[in-house]
Amino acid sequence: MKTGPLHGIRVIDFTHALAGPYCTMLLADLGADVIKVEPPGGEVTRSVGPYPEDRSEHTLGGYFQSVNRGKRSIVVDLKSADGLNTIRQLIAESDIVVENFSVGVADKLGLSYESLHEAHPQLIYGTLRGFGDPRSGVSPYADWPAMDVTMQAMAGALSITGTEGGTPVKIGPGVADIFPGTLLALGLVAAVMHARATGEGQHVDIAMYDAVLSLCERIVYQYSYTGEVPKPEGNTHPILSPFDVLEAADGWVSIAAPTDPRWVRLCEAIGRPELSTDPRFKSNVDRRAHRADVRELLQEWTKTRTRADIADVLGGKVPFGPVNTVADIFADPHARSREMLVPVDNPGSATQAVIAGQPIKFSATPARVQGRAPLLDEHGDELRREFGGRARSAAAPPLPQSPARSE
């Protein structure tokens, strides 16, 4: 039985790759009934691993498991009359439709926002594309395909990420997919509240470009205020000091103590109280002007100590954290106690998969991973019975091998 604050909300999910499925994954974790509509052969990320070593038949790879958990799968050929009939039956009893097709694809299929809104005025229609849907602003790049790295580049993230004076470095997590997906989930939930109050559905649109630019908000006001173009700062911060990643005897640690009280506390903790009254370091403005000196002083202290030693001295006193690998995180009691490492079944494998949990915690309506990802068309017959569909289940040829687009 599903739990969560969105229990009773039904979502028709036409999305693929990462950004769209991450959005609908959030809705599923929050209790929505997410029906993943897949083409014959399945959504392309089904062909992306890794797969369990003890499973010769590739069913659920890690990529697909992670962002499609808790959904129901139905295979529908949207180019057939029977397929469209099935989809219309599903949509007629649903609250939200989400798609991240290229511009114009849904319109050609007869699934445009306008046609569905006319038939179902309360329906909420979410779109997520690289440069947005033309209905909410026509981008000159509207027809360009998009992926995480290209969006990090175009929307400003890469311009401030990298070693000081060095080349741009891609941000590790797929932020240009995940953040837009998160914003779309927020927009859809807000639209549900509006629809419940007014009976009016609407179109909710996210451009990956816009979302990443929003994520990079600092560069906008910095340029507006100063006229200077922000550049990569390495692991430091252009406004705050200290705010850095430093080498330890057995790895790396992060330390941030830019406010004056925390700077005083840091100086006392490392046995250098005189630094807090040194004119070069007395205020954040002073420390920022002598940022290299601050870094050198702290680096001298951290390099001779292990991460555990540093944690004993700084833990709980100032913002501090070791630079953890995922192996460290698997051993960290925080991740287990907060249910952020969640085991799910892997059909046909003796080993469970572990995926990242749901970080939004509710006291009354718990949100959690609602189960593993579905097998291809696993719920097709069930859904056709549930919604009275007469369409036949589409055949499932071998999975495509090409990687999916991120939009």
Side-chain angles (χ1 to χ4, degrees), residues 82-158:
D82 280 352
L84 286 176
N85 180 54
T86 297
I87 289 302
R88 292 190 180 104
Q89 290 171 346
L90 295 175
I91 290 174
E93 299 185 46
S94 299
D95 303 277
I96 300 171
V97 167
V98 189
E99 55 100 340
N100 64 341
F101 298 125
S102 298
V103 172
V105 170
D107 299 25
K108 292 176 182 177
L109 292 170
L111 299 172
S112 68
Y113 164 68
E114 289 79 11
S115 64
L116 295 182
H117 181 70
E118 182 178 2
H120 312 288
Q122 284 187 287
L123 185 71
I124 295 156
Y125 191 104
T127 54
L128 199 163
R129 318 190 199 289
F131 302 95
D133 189 279
R135 293 173 178 85
S136 53
V138 179
S139 168
Y141 316 115
D143 294 325
W144 287 24
M147 295 194 78
D148 169 68
V149 69
T150 62
M151 290 297 92
Q152 288 193 33
M154 292 187 72
L158 288 190

Side-chain angles (χ1 to χ4, degrees), residues 202-354:
Q202 59 185 304
H203 180 203
V204 181
D205 177 43
I206 296 288
M208 295 165 71
Y209 185 121
D210 300 353
V212 176
L213 180 58
S214 173
L215 187 65
C216 296
E217 48 80 34
R218 170 173 63 80
I219 66 174
V220 176
Y221 72 72
Q222 278 186 273
Y223 183 65
S224 171
Y225 273 66
T226 68
E228 297 178 1
V229 176
K231 294 181 171 56
E233 302 280 350
N235 288 317
T236 63
H237 196 284
I239 298 173
L240 306 176
S241 177
F243 195 101
D244 217 328
V245 176
L246 303 161
E247 189 175 0
D250 61 346
W252 298 84
V253 297
S254 60
I255 298 174
T259 64
D260 295 341
R262 282 179 168 163
W263 171 246
V264 171
R265 201 171 300 132
L266 174 61
C267 293
E268 292 172 348
I270 67 173
R272 297 290 303 276
E274 74 280 3
L275 294 177
S276 64
T277 57
D278 188 313
R280 296 174 297 165
F281 311 132
K282 196 165 185 181
S283 72
N284 180 65
V285 173
D286 299 323
R287 291 189 295 276
R288 186 177 65 188
H290 298 89
R291 189 169 55 190
D293 294 332
V294 172
R295 176 183 172 83
E296 184 178 354
L297 287 165
L298 293 177
Q299 184 69 90
E300 288 176 0
W301 185 81
T302 61
K303 282 187 74 171
T304 61
R305 292 162 173 82
T306 66
R307 298 189 308 161
D309 292 338
I310 298 170
D312 287 341
V313 175
L314 300 185
K317 296 184 178 66
V318 298
F320 154 82
V323 177
N324 286 333
T325 67
V326 70
D328 297 325
I329 291 169
F330 265 61
D332 191 337
H334 170 94
R336 296 289 179 182
S337 67
R338 298 283 296 179
E339 296 182 342
M340 287 307 300
L341 299 173
V342 180
V344 292
D345 290 337
N346 242 330
S349 172
T351 304
Q352 286 188 308
V354 177

